[in-house]
Amino acid sequence: MKFRLFIAMHFATMLTGTVVLWWFVMPDKPAEALADGISAGAIAGYAEIMAIRLRL
């Protein structure tokens, strides 16, 4: 997979996850949902990089 497509898919997944978290779990706290979505995206990105490096 090309790197640009990989990055675009990662951000799309992070954005979708943040919107779903805000809409269904924390509808009255959008700032907390955004912070949690960004944190989850950063953790997922780190895990993806480690998996690529370890060839998992």
Side-chain angles (χ1 to χ4, degrees), residues 10-36:
H10 179 78
F11 278 108
T13 303
M14 184 174 64
L15 178 66
T16 303
T18 301
V19 169
V20 168
L21 181 68
W22 170 53
W23 190 267
F24 292 110
V25 180
M26 295 186 241
D28 56 338
K29 299 179 181 178
E32 285 84 359
L34 180 62
D36 288 347

